[in-house]
Amino acid sequence: MSTIDQRRDQMFPKLRPEEIERLRRFGEVRHYKTGDLLIETGEPSAGMFLLLKGTVAVSTHDGMGHVVPIVEEGPGEFLAEVGQLSGRAALVDARATGDVEALLIPPERLRGVIIAEAELGEKIMRALILRRVALIENGTGGPVLIGPALSPEMVHLQGFLSRNGYPHQTLDPDDDADAKALVERYAPDPSGLPLAVCADGTVLKRPSTTELARCLGMVSCDAADRTYDVAIVGAGPAGLATAVYAASEGLSVIVFDANAFGGQAGASARIENYLGFPTGISGQALTGRAYVQAQKFGAEVAIPVEVTGLSCAGSPFSLSLANGRSVKAQAIVVAAGARYRRPAIPRLNDFEGRGIWYWASPIEARMCRKEEIALVGAGNSAGQAAVFLAGFAAKVCMLVRGESLAATMSRYLIERIEAQPNIEVLCRTEITQLTATPEGRLERIRWRHTPTSAETERAIRNVFLFTGADPATEWLRECGVALDEKGFVRTGPQSAAACAAENGNLRGPLLLESNVPGVFAVGDARSGSVKRVGGAIGEGAAVVAQLHSYLAARQSGPAASASQ
């Protein structure tokens, strides 16, 4: 059963008269006539509409003209989903079926409702989340992706939308007549595929994720003249934790990420050793909740927006963005995590997205159904991926460079792997060769057992690499932030000497502060950090107290700063 069938009462609750009265102070009454659109797909929503009189029909439509009715709502019910917390583009149409009177609560006041009215806010928040879940399940409200199901570009766009919790549909022109007609019109040359059809009918040929996000109205970062208290670079567990705690304590916060919320943790199929989740939780579910929670408290989240540089020349700091804009903030938190490490395998770049993968989501897993696959790595992420993929693949060959898994993987995962009959662990083994099909996809691989130099070749079309990560900190160099020999940000005692040189010994750095006053680092990007989800979240929470201390000192002037 779908979410809408199982949890309809929670998705579409009817508020009691006394609850409606409590909400009146947060909004203003609006009137609409038959046929008026209260909400239109693809357009920024004005907020949440609480219906007082009349009825409204809610439906979705896509850029190919397909309309899907969802529900008809009446007095005491409300129109909104998670996107309305931040005023994002709507995913549904809501049309008055008669004269309608509604209480319009704009996004900033909707966030106020959820915080000020705890019990009522919980009811509303649960409905908003479930409505988005239902849209994702049904693939309605978002773009239609058209192209061969296994093409690297299709998989890339699907992964981007899925990891950002955005509904979408996929159509293969070989199986769908409407899709075939669009391909013949817009992309008769296969090099133009995939197509992305946005809700307004715009057709994009082979779009980048940034182009697709722009068409969907995912990115809204237009306050060029605003100075935020805190700018956070990276929306993984550490960055989201910082956003939640900083915004909940009244700081103005903006968060940037070049790809998706969740970071590497967001791609984990199941995290079983995170406190408070005895049955485990997927990285997507854990970080998705944090993403919504950050918006609940008013943090702005800009995805996909890449930060390319940091200027420390004046006050406030200025972040340069890949889209040519800049954003100012009084303090910076580096939570950019790390980029997937690419092992030294000949022609590796040729096969990325064509059989070489750095994460294991359901999208990639479906491509491996009943096939033999290889997985390289020996850490917890590799173990979680191996167990997850074993549920799809005929066999998982786990290639480990070291002597065993014991030194790098949690014991519970080792036991889980040992219990899986279709996982084979091959220690002291490395891939030496990749072979392509005529179309350029991975077809075969060869590996070597290093002690004996014995080589094995297998018909394997999908290889998953979990070989660690390198820090994403090169954008900090212009600002003079001190990095260790591997590129991770030095903080606290590690950066004390550099901080003294920069500051003229006014004060030492705070525990999570770099040598540049006001630039902090948390999570995987920080030198010496524990590379675990729990550790990242803990640092994200801890840095907020230090942000308050730094910002208070700035307001008090140099004397207070010197006395810290």
Side-chain angles (χ1 to χ4, degrees):
M1 295 179 66
S2 67
T3 299
I4 198 168
D5 293 325
Q6 289 180 314
R7 306 179 70 175
R8 177 176 287 273
D9 290 345
Q10 291 180 319
M11 286 181 65
F12 304 108
K14 189 168 185 177
L15 302 187
R16 301 188 303 272
E18 60 271 24
E19 291 176 321
I20 294 173
E21 288 305 311
R22 280 158 45 197
L23 290 177
R24 284 187 181 274
R25 66 187 176 96
F26 293 96
E28 59 182 49
V29 175
R30 298 281 183 91
H31 294 88
Y32 303 89
K33 296 179 180 180
T34 304
D36 286 351
L37 276 171
L38 284 72
I39 299 174
E40 184 176 2
T41 301
E43 296 298 324
S45 173
M48 185 181 91
F49 293 85
L50 172 59
L51 301 182
L52 304 174
K53 296 178 182 178
T55 57
V56 173
V58 181
S59 62
T60 64
H61 79 265
D62 61 33
M64 299 174 70
H66 303 133
V67 177
V68 179
I70 297 177
V71 70
E72 188 172 278
E73 296 197 83
E77 298 177 307
F78 54 87
L79 309 170
E81 59 92 36
V82 162
Q84 276 62 75
L85 286 173
S86 52
R88 297 293 171 88
L91 300 177
V92 300
D93 296 322
R95 190 180 298 274
T97 58
D99 290 341
V100 168
E101 181 179 302
L103 183 72
L104 173 59
I105 303 176
E108 64 275 9
R109 293 185 181 179
L110 176 57
R111 297 192 295 267
V113 168
I114 292 170
I115 295 169
E117 298 282 346
E119 184 179 343
L120 181 54
E122 180 182 350
K123 181 185 293 187
I124 293 172
M125 179 62 88
R126 183 184 294 112
L128 302 186
I129 293 171
L130 289 174
R131 292 174 184 185
R132 174 60 69 95
V133 169
L135 291 171
I136 293 171
E137 283 181 353
N138 296 320
T140 52
V144 180
L145 305 180
I146 300 174
L150 298 183
S151 78
E153 294 77 18
M154 278 285 283
V155 172
H156 179 61
L157 293 179
Q158 286 183 71
F160 167 72
L161 293 170
S162 296
R163 291 191 63 185
N164 281 294
Y166 207 94
H168 61 280
Q169 302 175 58
T170 59
L171 296 176
D172 192 321
D174 291 337
D175 303 326
D176 187 276
D178 290 342
K180 182 178 180 181
L182 273 175
V183 169
E184 291 173 348
R185 178 179 177 185
Y186 289 98
D189 185 338
S191 64
L193 295 177
L195 299 178
V197 186
C198 301
D200 64 358
T202 300
V203 179
L204 304 178
K205 296 171 61 175
R206 204 183 180 93
S208 67
T209 54
T210 300
E211 291 168 336
L212 180 58
R214 189 180 301 119
C215 186
L216 301 177
M218 289 175 63
V219 179
S220 177
C221 180
D222 298 321
D225 57 345
R226 180 178 181 183
T227 298
Y228 294 86
D229 291 325
V230 184
I232 302 166
V233 183
L240 290 174
T242 305
V244 168
Y245 284 96
S248 70
E249 294 180 14
L251 299 180
S252 59
V253 176
I254 188 166
V255 185
F256 297 100
D257 200 287
N259 300 301
F261 67 78
Q264 293 188 60
S268 295
R270 182 164 295 274
I271 302 170
E272 296 196 52
N273 59 350
Y274 185 68
L275 187 68
F277 293 90
T279 60
I281 185 171
S282 73
Q284 177 81 5
L286 179 65
T287 56
R289 294 175 184 183
Y291 173 65
V292 174
Q293 196 173 16
Q295 293 176 85
K296 162 187 169 179
F297 289 115
E300 294 183 35
V301 185
I303 301 174
V305 176
E306 182 182 2
V307 173
T308 58
L310 172 63
S311 173
C312 305
S315 178
F317 296 105
S318 179
L319 287 169
S320 299
L321 310 181
N323 59 16
R325 298 183 180 182
S326 63
V327 170
K328 295 180 173 61
Q330 300 289 355
I332 305 295
V333 175
V334 181
R339 294 193 176 94
Y340 297 103
R341 185 173 297 150
R342 290 162 169 79
I345 300 173
R347 297 188 62 199
L348 180 66
N349 291 348
D350 295 343
F351 295 99
E352 290 181 346
R354 291 172 167 79
I356 295 292
W357 314 103
Y358 295 93
W359 52 86
S361 77
I363 296 171
E364 291 78 30
R366 287 193 293 270
M367 300 170 63
C368 305
R369 196 178 297 278
K370 297 183 180 179
E371 292 188 4
E372 182 177 5
I373 66 171
L375 185 147
V376 181
N380 277 6
S381 294
Q384 290 160 355
V387 172
F388 171 67
L389 292 169
F392 295 82
K395 183 177 181 179
V396 178
C397 299
M398 197 167 182
L399 310 183
V400 178
R401 187 171 57 179
E403 295 283 352
S404 71
L405 298 174
T408 53
M409 188 180 292
S410 297
R411 185 63 206 171
Y412 82 91
L413 276 171
I414 296 175
E415 292 174 353
R416 188 73 55 81
I417 288 169
E418 291 172 345
Q420 290 285 344
N422 63 336
I423 298 180
E424 180 183 8
V425 179
L426 302 170
C427 295
R428 303 193 67 181
T429 302
E430 298 179 354
I431 293 177
T432 59
Q433 184 177 325
L434 305 172
T435 303
T437 65
E439 297 76 27
R441 277 192 56 84
L442 182 63
E443 182 178 44
R444 307 181 68 83
I445 72 171
R446 180 185 291 270
W447 63 69
R448 177 189 298 123
H449 182 238
T450 52
T452 63
S453 296
E455 295 204 355
T456 301
E457 185 171 315
R458 295 278 181 85
I460 287 178
R461 303 195 304 165
N462 291 284
V463 175
F464 293 82
L465 301 179
F466 290 86
T467 53
D470 297 313
T473 55
E474 63 279 355
W475 57 278
L476 291 168
R477 294 188 183 278
E478 183 182 343
C479 188
V481 174
L483 309 177
D484 68 12
E485 63 280 0
K486 294 182 179 179
F488 295 96
V489 179
R490 295 182 184 274
T491 60
Q494 288 188 352
S495 64
C499 186
E502 296 282 343
N503 278 318
N505 288 314
L506 282 178
R507 66 169 175 84
L510 300 170
L511 187 61
L512 297 172
E513 189 177 24
S514 73
N515 61 301
V516 178
V519 178
F520 299 78
V522 294
D524 287 359
R526 190 178 72 82
S527 178
S529 66
V530 178
K531 307 302 191 259
R532 289 287 187 271
V533 172
I537 292 174
E539 290 189 6
V543 76
V544 175
Q546 297 174 38
L547 287 168
H548 280 300
S549 177
Y550 168 77
L551 293 170
R554 278 181 56 84
Q555 291 182 344
S556 300
S561 180
S563 67
Q564 281 191 15

